[in-house]
C-alpha cells in the first residue's frame, strides 16, 4: 500500500539528500515524504540541426553538339588533338600545362594541355609521339556532375515528459534530481529505536514514487 504523507525514509545521498546531515543519532539521515510532487529537471535542449549542404552550382551552358573526349569531371570540354596539331618540338610539348580545371579555366578556347588521367582523360591515348597525351580546350562548358544528395536529417529527440504540478510553498530540502520533494525530519520525528531506523526504505525515486506523501 502507498505510504501516506509523513512516511520516513533513510538517505545516503540519493535524490539530492545530504549524506552529512546526520539528523537522527547516532549516524542516520532521515527524511519524510511531503504530499506533493516536484517537477523534474527540464530536459536537455535538442541538438542543433546540422548545417545544410551548400546549394549546387548554378546551371552552365551545355556544350551541345561539340565533340568532348574528356573533361566532364572538371566541368570542361576537352578534345584529343590529331597528330598534326601536336607541338612540333619536345620543348613545346614540355611546357604544356596539365589538363586540370584550375589551369584550364582561365585559358581561351583552343589552348592545349598535357594529360595523365586528369579530368577524365585517357592516359593510354598517346596521340603526340613519343609518349604524350595532348588535349585541346573546346569553347564551351560542360555541366558539372550532380552534387551528392544531402545526408538524412537526424532523428528528433523524444518529446519532453508532461508537466507535473509544482510543490508551491512546500519546504523541500532535497529530492529535485528525482522529481520528489523531501524534507529533513526533526529529531523528534525520528523512529524511537534502531530497529525502526533499520527498516526504513532508501530515499530513491524507485522506492518512493509509489509511496504516498509523508512516506
Amino acid at each position: 500500500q502507498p505510504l501516506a504523507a509523513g512516511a520516513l525514509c533513510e538517505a545516503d545521498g540519493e535524490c539530492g539528500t545530504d549524506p552529512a546531515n546526520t539528523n537522527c543519532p547516532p549516524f542516520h539521515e532521515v527524511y519524510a515524504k511531503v504530499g506533493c510532487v516536484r517537477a523534474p529537471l527540464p530536459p536537455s535542449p535538442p541538438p542543433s540541426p546540422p548545417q545544410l549542404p551548400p546549394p549546387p552550382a548554378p546551371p552552365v551552358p551545355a556544350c551541345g553538339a561539340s565533340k568532348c573526349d574528356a573533361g566532364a569531371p572538371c566541368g570542361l570540354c576537352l578534345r584529343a588533338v590529331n597528330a598534326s596539331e601536336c607541338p612540333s618540338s619536345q620543348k613545346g610539348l614540355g611546357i604544356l600545362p596539365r589538363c586540370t580545371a584550375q589551369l584550364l579555366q582561365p585559358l581561351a578556347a583552343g589552348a592545349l594541355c598535357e594529360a595523365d588521367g586528369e579530368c577524365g582523360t585517357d592516359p593510354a591515348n598517346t596521340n603526340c609521339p613519343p609518349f604524350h597525351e595532348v588535349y585541346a580546350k573546346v569553347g564551351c562548358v560542360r555541366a558539372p556532375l550532380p552534387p551528392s544528395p544531402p545526408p538524412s536529417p537526424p532523428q528528433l529527440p523524444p518529446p519532453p515528459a508532461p508537466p507535473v504540478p509544482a510543490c508551491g510553498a512546500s519546504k523541500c530540502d532535497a529530492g529535485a534530481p528525482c522529481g520528489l520533494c523531501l524534507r529533513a525530519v526533526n529529531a523528534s520525528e525520528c523512529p524511537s529505536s534502531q530497529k525502526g531506523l533499520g527498516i526504513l526504505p532508501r530515499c530513491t525515486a524507485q522506492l518512493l514514487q509509489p509511496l504516498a506523501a509523508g512516506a
Side-chain angles (χ1 to χ4, degrees), residues 3 28 39 41 44 48 57 69 75 77 85 95 105 108 118 131 135 140 144 150 189 202 208:
L3 299 184
H28 300 276
L41 298 177
S44 301
S48 301
D69 297 310
C77 180
E85 301 175 87
I95 63 173
Q105 287 289 4
E118 307 95 333
F131 46 74
Y135 288 78
C140 65
E189 300 175 87
R202 303 302 300 174
L208 286 180

Side-chain angles (χ1 to χ4, degrees), residues 8 34 56-57 63 88 102 118 199-200 207:
L8 303 183
V34 182
C63 285
S88 57
Q102 182 179 6
E118 307 95 333
I199 62 173
L200 292 178
L207 295 178

Side-chain angles (χ1 to χ4, degrees), residues 122-157:
D122 182 4
N125 179 31
T126 306
N127 52 343
C128 287
F131 46 74
H132 299 276
E133 297 83 47
V134 177
Y135 288 78
K137 180 179 178 181
V138 180
C140 65
V141 179
R142 292 178 71 162
L145 299 177
S148 301
S152 300
Q155 289 186 339
L156 294 176

Side-chain angles (χ1 to χ4, degrees), residues 10-11 29 36 45 55 61 64 77 88 104 111 129 133 167-168 207 213:
E10 184 173 7
E29 298 83 45
C36 64
C77 180
S88 57
L104 287 179
E133 297 83 47
C167 283
L207 295 178

Side-chain angles (χ1 to χ4, degrees), residues 44-72:
S44 301
S48 301
Q51 289 186 338
L52 294 176
V60 293
C63 285
S66 298
K67 181 180 182 299
C68 302
D69 297 310

